[in-house]
Amino acid sequence: MTELMPAEGVFSLIWLLIALPLAGAAVLLVGGRRTNAWGPLLGVLTVSASAVLGIVMLLQMMQNSPEQRTFDQTLFSWVFVGGFQADMAFQLDQLSMVFVLLITIVGALIHVYSLGYMSHDRDKRKFFGYLNLFVAAMLILVLANNYLLLYVGWEGVGLASYLLIGFWQHKPSAAAAAKKAFVINRIGDVGMSLAIMLMFVTFGTVSFQGVFGVADQASEGTLNAIGLLLLLAACGKSAQFPLQAWLLDAMEGPTPVSALIHAATMVTAGVYLIARSNAIFDVATVAATTVVVVGVVTVFIGAIIGSAKDDIKKSLAGSTMSQIGYMIAAAGLGPIGYVFAIFHLLTHGVFKAGLFLGAGSVMHGMNDNVDMRRYGALRKVMIVTYVTFAAGWLSIMGIPPFSGFFSKDEIIHAAFEQSVLTGVLLIIGAGVTGFYMTRMFIMTFLGKARWEDDVHPHESPKVMTVPLVLLAIGSLFLGMALLYWGNIETWLEPVVGYEAGESPISTTASIALSLLAVGLGVLVAYLMYQRRAVPIEAPHGSWLTRAARNELYGNEVNDVLVVQPTYYTSRWLVWFDNKGVDGFVNGSAAFVGGLSGRMRRYQTGFARSYALSMVGGAVLVVLALVLVRAS
């Protein structure tokens, strides 16, 4: 049983993890142009300081026994109405600790990279302010000790993502992408808010300790409802089916934004939410099964889209969607899979950040061209980018000894322990991963040059390549370090639980099948893109290729099911307001006005007319009384 420890010593500074980037955001966004000269450096320093503090806390936490690694810090009572109370309080345990390190360390590297990438942008000070705000909001999300405070971080991440995706708002496409991401995420946020309300009604509290301690006492129907609402929230933030359409459009933001959102922060929030709520999903079997289904479906949606996109960033976005699908599917497996969902989340955060920043380095040398059909042969002129991108490529495919091999294959084996069908589907997904990532690698770095005449590719400056090298090292060694040295299963077990099941196939067989599928995917990509010349103009392709290029018509489906009904409903409401509500109000006013106009004619001002009216009225009253008595 995990013991809740008071935050003492270095753990009394949990609040400072958030306060540092939050203060940086405040200075950069409020300070104005006076901070232009040194503002970006301040943004780097605040996140780096949080990373150093997080490492110190990790070392101190490792000195405690596994049952005494949960620290609670209450700053003040935040909301107190009647018997309800929610504190401004933070909880640092093994689960939130790994997220703190991922967010701050990878975030710091992305900040450093941005010094070079955004060096010529006139609003770079504002950009670093938004990055700091994003990191601070994400830290609130993972450090909150209750769902209401988690919701604050959840909405803060949504706001910061809107600001970052639409940072180049002079581009209509960027402004539209930011609005799209914001609106679709609001749909998921409705699920989060309803889940929190249902928790309060059911348990009388929204604190983690309060909810999880009595979760097994609630009805299964209530827990399934809460679980499905939390899943809806996770689908919005983590771009899972059916709320995945915003992710590829988010590539309109600067490339460091793509790395931050798609690697270490926003898209991982849904996985964190499900893993943190494990006490609910362990009992809510319908919700947990739905989580697996959503994850598996998204694995294929993202992989198919990534296989057909020629925009390097959008192909990587499809890859992110697919890889998060693996994590969501693992989280739905229950105690068998929570640990491996977080394990893959950590390794993915490193190698995907390296891939996105590598794509940004390629764009830097190619005059910001994102079309891979205009790349080729870049290995000769961008050696560092080539080698570091190769590390991410091998890792995401799960080639040993790279990090993705250890984490993704653990998910596949865990899936076999619960369902052979799920395991087989995830292996097929691994094969498609091998195809689209090899396609991307060949089209970008190998083959013949297909550069435009005015392009002169060159390696990026060291401020951009050093983070690439560090992330490449992580892509190689992090999986082994977490599994063997860090013992990730034992580390996370006190928080999310872990129990191994019986698999119909051995671990060796699972790994062999996965590598065979990946090898087939690599072979197909090699035959299609290395053995043949890559055309500059994309061929027409099959119906599946056309559908994948069009993102499997997700936007069209949303248009038919959501946009158009909303549009026509709003038009009908406007008509009803104008003709119905306003018509009734205006008609009533016109009736009264017309009636008063006619009555005004009888106001002659002559006493004899009024006397005659009085006599006539008296006569009518007498006649009425006589008729009543007669009847």
PDB file of all heavy atoms in Angstrom, residues 261-288:
ATOM      1  N   ILE A 261       4.439  19.239 -28.888  1.00  0.00           N
ATOM      2  CA  ILE A 261       3.075  18.728 -28.779  1.00  0.00           C
ATOM      3  C   ILE A 261       3.027  17.227 -29.036  1.00  0.00           C
ATOM      4  O   ILE A 261       2.358  16.476 -28.336  1.00  0.00           O
ATOM      5  CB  ILE A 261       2.145  19.467 -29.768  1.00  0.00           C
ATOM      6  CG1 ILE A 261       1.929  20.911 -29.309  1.00  0.00           C
ATOM      7  CG2 ILE A 261       0.802  18.749 -29.886  1.00  0.00           C
ATOM      8  CD1 ILE A 261       1.079  21.725 -30.263  1.00  0.00           C
ATOM      9  N   HIS A 262       3.763  16.765 -30.059  1.00  0.00           N
ATOM     10  CA  HIS A 262       3.623  15.392 -30.512  1.00  0.00           C
ATOM     11  C   HIS A 262       4.561  14.414 -29.833  1.00  0.00           C
ATOM     12  O   HIS A 262       4.475  13.216 -30.057  1.00  0.00           O
ATOM     13  CB  HIS A 262       3.857  15.311 -32.023  1.00  0.00           C
ATOM     14  CG  HIS A 262       2.820  16.016 -32.819  1.00  0.00           C
ATOM     15  ND1 HIS A 262       2.745  17.385 -32.903  1.00  0.00           N
ATOM     16  CD2 HIS A 262       1.803  15.547 -33.568  1.00  0.00           C
ATOM     17  CE1 HIS A 262       1.738  17.714 -33.672  1.00  0.00           C
ATOM     18  NE2 HIS A 262       1.137  16.629 -34.091  1.00  0.00           N
ATOM     19  N   ALA A 263       5.481  14.899 -29.029  1.00  0.00           N
ATOM     20  CA  ALA A 263       6.447  13.984 -28.410  1.00  0.00           C
ATOM     21  C   ALA A 263       6.249  13.897 -26.902  1.00  0.00           C
ATOM     22  O   ALA A 263       5.913  12.841 -26.373  1.00  0.00           O
ATOM     23  CB  ALA A 263       7.866  14.445 -28.736  1.00  0.00           C
ATOM     24  N   ALA A 264       6.449  15.003 -26.206  1.00  0.00           N
ATOM     25  CA  ALA A 264       6.589  14.928 -24.754  1.00  0.00           C
ATOM     26  C   ALA A 264       5.416  15.504 -23.979  1.00  0.00           C
ATOM     27  O   ALA A 264       5.388  15.370 -22.759  1.00  0.00           O
ATOM     28  CB  ALA A 264       7.874  15.669 -24.341  1.00  0.00           C
ATOM     29  N   THR A 265       4.482  16.138 -24.619  1.00  0.00           N
ATOM     30  CA  THR A 265       3.476  16.841 -23.821  1.00  0.00           C
ATOM     31  C   THR A 265       2.044  16.499 -24.212  1.00  0.00           C
ATOM     32  O   THR A 265       1.508  15.491 -23.808  1.00  0.00           O
ATOM     33  CB  THR A 265       3.692  18.364 -23.899  1.00  0.00           C
ATOM     34  OG1 THR A 265       3.744  18.763 -25.274  1.00  0.00           O
ATOM     35  CG2 THR A 265       5.003  18.758 -23.257  1.00  0.00           C
ATOM     36  N   MET A 266       1.442  17.316 -25.058  1.00  0.00           N
ATOM     37  CA  MET A 266      -0.010  17.300 -25.203  1.00  0.00           C
ATOM     38  C   MET A 266      -0.578  15.929 -25.562  1.00  0.00           C
ATOM     39  O   MET A 266      -1.526  15.461 -24.931  1.00  0.00           O
ATOM     40  CB  MET A 266      -0.423  18.334 -26.247  1.00  0.00           C
ATOM     41  CG  MET A 266      -1.930  18.481 -26.422  1.00  0.00           C
ATOM     42  SD  MET A 266      -2.295  19.938 -27.393  1.00  0.00           S
ATOM     43  CE  MET A 266      -4.046  19.757 -27.638  1.00  0.00           C
ATOM     44  N   VAL A 267      -0.028  15.265 -26.574  1.00  0.00           N
ATOM     45  CA  VAL A 267      -0.625  14.010 -27.006  1.00  0.00           C
ATOM     46  C   VAL A 267      -0.429  12.887 -25.992  1.00  0.00           C
ATOM     47  O   VAL A 267      -1.077  11.843 -26.097  1.00  0.00           O
ATOM     48  CB  VAL A 267      -0.089  13.573 -28.384  1.00  0.00           C
ATOM     49  CG1 VAL A 267      -0.546  14.515 -29.477  1.00  0.00           C
ATOM     50  CG2 VAL A 267       1.412  13.448 -28.373  1.00  0.00           C
ATOM     51  N   THR A 268       0.444  13.069 -25.031  1.00  0.00           N
ATOM     52  CA  THR A 268       0.617  12.053 -23.996  1.00  0.00           C
ATOM     53  C   THR A 268      -0.358  12.245 -22.842  1.00  0.00           C
ATOM     54  O   THR A 268      -0.457  11.374 -21.972  1.00  0.00           O
ATOM     55  CB  THR A 268       2.053  12.077 -23.453  1.00  0.00           C
ATOM     56  OG1 THR A 268       2.289  13.327 -22.784  1.00  0.00           O
ATOM     57  CG2 THR A 268       3.074  11.922 -24.574  1.00  0.00           C
ATOM     58  N   ALA A 269      -1.073  13.364 -22.816  1.00  0.00           N
ATOM     59  CA  ALA A 269      -1.954  13.664 -21.682  1.00  0.00           C
ATOM     60  C   ALA A 269      -3.063  12.631 -21.551  1.00  0.00           C
ATOM     61  O   ALA A 269      -3.448  12.261 -20.441  1.00  0.00           O
ATOM     62  CB  ALA A 269      -2.541  15.066 -21.838  1.00  0.00           C
ATOM     63  N   GLY A 270      -3.597  12.165 -22.685  1.00  0.00           N
ATOM     64  CA  GLY A 270      -4.668  11.165 -22.624  1.00  0.00           C
ATOM     65  C   GLY A 270      -4.181   9.850 -22.040  1.00  0.00           C
ATOM     66  O   GLY A 270      -4.901   9.185 -21.282  1.00  0.00           O
ATOM     67  N   VAL A 271      -2.966   9.442 -22.403  1.00  0.00           N
ATOM     68  CA  VAL A 271      -2.398   8.214 -21.858  1.00  0.00           C
ATOM     69  C   VAL A 271      -2.206   8.365 -20.346  1.00  0.00           C
ATOM     70  O   VAL A 271      -2.516   7.453 -19.567  1.00  0.00           O
ATOM     71  CB  VAL A 271      -1.056   7.894 -22.543  1.00  0.00           C
ATOM     72  CG1 VAL A 271      -0.501   6.571 -22.022  1.00  0.00           C
ATOM     73  CG2 VAL A 271      -1.223   7.846 -24.057  1.00  0.00           C
ATOM     74  N   TYR A 272      -1.696   9.533 -19.932  1.00  0.00           N
ATOM     75  CA  TYR A 272      -1.525   9.783 -18.496  1.00  0.00           C
ATOM     76  C   TYR A 272      -2.868   9.709 -17.772  1.00  0.00           C
ATOM     77  O   TYR A 272      -2.966   9.104 -16.693  1.00  0.00           O
ATOM     78  CB  TYR A 272      -0.902  11.158 -18.278  1.00  0.00           C
ATOM     79  CG  TYR A 272      -0.928  11.594 -16.828  1.00  0.00           C
ATOM     80  CD1 TYR A 272       0.015  11.120 -15.930  1.00  0.00           C
ATOM     81  CD2 TYR A 272      -1.916  12.457 -16.357  1.00  0.00           C
ATOM     82  CE1 TYR A 272      -0.024  11.488 -14.588  1.00  0.00           C
ATOM     83  CE2 TYR A 272      -1.961  12.828 -15.023  1.00  0.00           C
ATOM     84  CZ  TYR A 272      -1.015  12.346 -14.138  1.00  0.00           C
ATOM     85  OH  TYR A 272      -1.066  12.708 -12.823  1.00  0.00           O
ATOM     86  N   LEU A 273      -3.909  10.300 -18.353  1.00  0.00           N
ATOM     87  CA  LEU A 273      -5.215  10.335 -17.702  1.00  0.00           C
ATOM     88  C   LEU A 273      -5.745   8.933 -17.454  1.00  0.00           C
ATOM     89  O   LEU A 273      -6.252   8.628 -16.361  1.00  0.00           O
ATOM     90  CB  LEU A 273      -6.198  11.126 -18.570  1.00  0.00           C
ATOM     91  CG  LEU A 273      -7.623  11.243 -18.046  1.00  0.00           C
ATOM     92  CD1 LEU A 273      -7.654  12.051 -16.755  1.00  0.00           C
ATOM     93  CD2 LEU A 273      -8.534  11.886 -19.089  1.00  0.00           C
ATOM     94  N   ILE A 274      -5.626   8.063 -18.448  1.00  0.00           N
ATOM     95  CA  ILE A 274      -6.131   6.694 -18.291  1.00  0.00           C
ATOM     96  C   ILE A 274      -5.286   5.921 -17.281  1.00  0.00           C
ATOM     97  O   ILE A 274      -5.818   5.202 -16.426  1.00  0.00           O
ATOM     98  CB  ILE A 274      -6.156   5.977 -19.656  1.00  0.00           C
ATOM     99  CG1 ILE A 274      -7.165   6.660 -20.581  1.00  0.00           C
ATOM    100  CG2 ILE A 274      -6.516   4.506 -19.492  1.00  0.00           C
ATOM    101  CD1 ILE A 274      -7.144   6.142 -22.005  1.00  0.00           C
ATOM    102  N   ALA A 275      -3.956   6.063 -17.378  1.00  0.00           N
ATOM    103  CA  ALA A 275      -3.086   5.362 -16.422  1.00  0.00           C
ATOM    104  C   ALA A 275      -3.307   5.858 -14.999  1.00  0.00           C
ATOM    105  O   ALA A 275      -3.346   5.059 -14.053  1.00  0.00           O
ATOM    106  CB  ALA A 275      -1.624   5.544 -16.823  1.00  0.00           C
ATOM    107  N   ARG A 276      -3.463   7.161 -14.822  1.00  0.00           N
ATOM    108  CA  ARG A 276      -3.713   7.722 -13.495  1.00  0.00           C
ATOM    109  C   ARG A 276      -5.041   7.229 -12.941  1.00  0.00           C
ATOM    110  O   ARG A 276      -5.187   7.013 -11.732  1.00  0.00           O
ATOM    111  CB  ARG A 276      -3.693   9.248 -13.574  1.00  0.00           C
ATOM    112  CG  ARG A 276      -4.063   9.961 -12.290  1.00  0.00           C
ATOM    113  CD  ARG A 276      -3.115   9.606 -11.155  1.00  0.00           C
ATOM    114  NE  ARG A 276      -1.823  10.276 -11.278  1.00  0.00           N
ATOM    115  CZ  ARG A 276      -0.800  10.039 -10.467  1.00  0.00           C
ATOM    116  NH1 ARG A 276      -0.903   9.135  -9.500  1.00  0.00           N
ATOM    117  NH2 ARG A 276       0.353  10.683 -10.641  1.00  0.00           N
ATOM    118  N   SER A 277      -6.038   7.026 -13.819  1.00  0.00           N
ATOM    119  CA  SER A 277      -7.377   6.602 -13.398  1.00  0.00           C
ATOM    120  C   SER A 277      -7.509   5.093 -13.421  1.00  0.00           C
ATOM    121  O   SER A 277      -8.608   4.560 -13.624  1.00  0.00           O
ATOM    122  CB  SER A 277      -8.430   7.238 -14.321  1.00  0.00           C
ATOM    123  OG  SER A 277      -8.273   8.638 -14.403  1.00  0.00           O
ATOM    124  N   ASN A 278      -6.415   4.386 -13.210  1.00  0.00           N
ATOM    125  CA  ASN A 278      -6.427   2.918 -13.331  1.00  0.00           C
ATOM    126  C   ASN A 278      -7.420   2.256 -12.380  1.00  0.00           C
ATOM    127  O   ASN A 278      -7.997   1.212 -12.716  1.00  0.00           O
ATOM    128  CB  ASN A 278      -5.021   2.359 -13.111  1.00  0.00           C
ATOM    129  CG  ASN A 278      -4.464   2.687 -11.729  1.00  0.00           C
ATOM    130  OD1 ASN A 278      -4.711   2.004 -10.740  1.00  0.00           O
ATOM    131  ND2 ASN A 278      -3.688   3.768 -11.659  1.00  0.00           N
ATOM    132  N   ALA A 279      -7.649   2.849 -11.206  1.00  0.00           N
ATOM    133  CA  ALA A 279      -8.596   2.248 -10.253  1.00  0.00           C
ATOM    134  C   ALA A 279     -10.005   2.220 -10.825  1.00  0.00           C
ATOM    135  O   ALA A 279     -10.803   1.327 -10.498  1.00  0.00           O
ATOM    136  CB  ALA A 279      -8.577   3.031  -8.939  1.00  0.00           C
ATOM    137  N   ILE A 280     -10.336   3.177 -11.675  1.00  0.00           N
ATOM    138  CA  ILE A 280     -11.653   3.216 -12.323  1.00  0.00           C
ATOM    139  C   ILE A 280     -11.709   2.215 -13.467  1.00  0.00           C
ATOM    140  O   ILE A 280     -12.649   1.410 -13.570  1.00  0.00           O
ATOM    141  CB  ILE A 280     -11.951   4.641 -12.830  1.00  0.00           C
ATOM    142  CG1 ILE A 280     -12.096   5.595 -11.651  1.00  0.00           C
ATOM    143  CG2 ILE A 280     -13.195   4.661 -13.716  1.00  0.00           C
ATOM    144  CD1 ILE A 280     -12.217   7.051 -12.043  1.00  0.00           C
ATOM    145  N   PHE A 281     -10.699   2.216 -14.342  1.00  0.00           N
ATOM    146  CA  PHE A 281     -10.720   1.349 -15.515  1.00  0.00           C
ATOM    147  C   PHE A 281     -10.545  -0.121 -15.153  1.00  0.00           C
ATOM    148  O   PHE A 281     -10.968  -1.001 -15.911  1.00  0.00           O
ATOM    149  CB  PHE A 281      -9.654   1.792 -16.512  1.00  0.00           C
ATOM    150  CG  PHE A 281     -10.015   3.042 -17.264  1.00  0.00           C
ATOM    151  CD1 PHE A 281      -9.561   4.274 -16.834  1.00  0.00           C
ATOM    152  CD2 PHE A 281     -10.835   2.992 -18.379  1.00  0.00           C
ATOM    153  CE1 PHE A 281      -9.895   5.439 -17.516  1.00  0.00           C
ATOM    154  CE2 PHE A 281     -11.183   4.133 -19.063  1.00  0.00           C
ATOM    155  CZ  PHE A 281     -10.717   5.366 -18.636  1.00  0.00           C
ATOM    156  N   ASP A 282      -9.930  -0.420 -13.998  1.00  0.00           N
ATOM    157  CA  ASP A 282      -9.802  -1.814 -13.580  1.00  0.00           C
ATOM    158  C   ASP A 282     -11.162  -2.445 -13.313  1.00  0.00           C
ATOM    159  O   ASP A 282     -11.329  -3.667 -13.468  1.00  0.00           O
ATOM    160  CB  ASP A 282      -8.938  -1.908 -12.316  1.00  0.00           C
ATOM    161  CG  ASP A 282      -7.464  -1.696 -12.613  1.00  0.00           C
ATOM    162  OD1 ASP A 282      -7.082  -1.748 -13.792  1.00  0.00           O
ATOM    163  OD2 ASP A 282      -6.698  -1.465 -11.657  1.00  0.00           O
ATOM    164  N   VAL A 283     -12.127  -1.627 -12.920  1.00  0.00           N
ATOM    165  CA  VAL A 283     -13.472  -2.131 -12.612  1.00  0.00           C
ATOM    166  C   VAL A 283     -14.421  -1.910 -13.790  1.00  0.00           C
ATOM    167  O   VAL A 283     -15.322  -2.713 -14.037  1.00  0.00           O
ATOM    168  CB  VAL A 283     -14.019  -1.443 -11.343  1.00  0.00           C
ATOM    169  CG1 VAL A 283     -15.373  -2.022 -10.966  1.00  0.00           C
ATOM    170  CG2 VAL A 283     -13.037  -1.591 -10.190  1.00  0.00           C
ATOM    171  N   ALA A 284     -14.204  -0.826 -14.542  1.00  0.00           N
ATOM    172  CA  ALA A 284     -15.088  -0.472 -15.665  1.00  0.00           C
ATOM    173  C   ALA A 284     -14.668  -1.261 -16.902  1.00  0.00           C
ATOM    174  O   ALA A 284     -13.937  -0.774 -17.766  1.00  0.00           O
ATOM    175  CB  ALA A 284     -15.028   1.029 -15.919  1.00  0.00           C
ATOM    176  N   THR A 285     -15.130  -2.513 -17.004  1.00  0.00           N
ATOM    177  CA  THR A 285     -14.663  -3.398 -18.067  1.00  0.00           C
ATOM    178  C   THR A 285     -15.105  -2.936 -19.447  1.00  0.00           C
ATOM    179  O   THR A 285     -14.353  -3.078 -20.419  1.00  0.00           O
ATOM    180  CB  THR A 285     -15.176  -4.821 -17.807  1.00  0.00           C
ATOM    181  OG1 THR A 285     -16.612  -4.785 -17.656  1.00  0.00           O
ATOM    182  CG2 THR A 285     -14.560  -5.397 -16.541  1.00  0.00           C
ATOM    183  N   VAL A 286     -16.300  -2.402 -19.563  1.00  0.00           N
ATOM    184  CA  VAL A 286     -16.775  -1.920 -20.871  1.00  0.00           C
ATOM    185  C   VAL A 286     -15.920  -0.749 -21.338  1.00  0.00           C
ATOM    186  O   VAL A 286     -15.498  -0.689 -22.502  1.00  0.00           O
ATOM    187  CB  VAL A 286     -18.259  -1.505 -20.796  1.00  0.00           C
ATOM    188  CG1 VAL A 286     -18.701  -0.843 -22.105  1.00  0.00           C
ATOM    189  CG2 VAL A 286     -19.138  -2.713 -20.491  1.00  0.00           C
ATOM    190  N   ALA A 287     -15.650   0.182 -20.443  1.00  0.00           N
ATOM    191  CA  ALA A 287     -14.812   1.332 -20.789  1.00  0.00           C
ATOM    192  C   ALA A 287     -13.409   0.884 -21.162  1.00  0.00           C
ATOM    193  O   ALA A 287     -12.817   1.383 -22.129  1.00  0.00           O
ATOM    194  CB  ALA A 287     -14.767   2.320 -19.618  1.00  0.00           C
ATOM    195  N   ALA A 288     -12.847  -0.071 -20.416  1.00  0.00           N
ATOM    196  CA  ALA A 288     -11.492  -0.542 -20.705  1.00  0.00           C
ATOM    197  C   ALA A 288     -11.425  -1.218 -22.073  1.00  0.00           C
ATOM    198  O   ALA A 288     -10.477  -1.008 -22.841  1.00  0.00           O
ATOM    199  CB  ALA A 288     -11.028  -1.506 -19.610  1.00  0.00           C
TER     200      ALA A 288
END
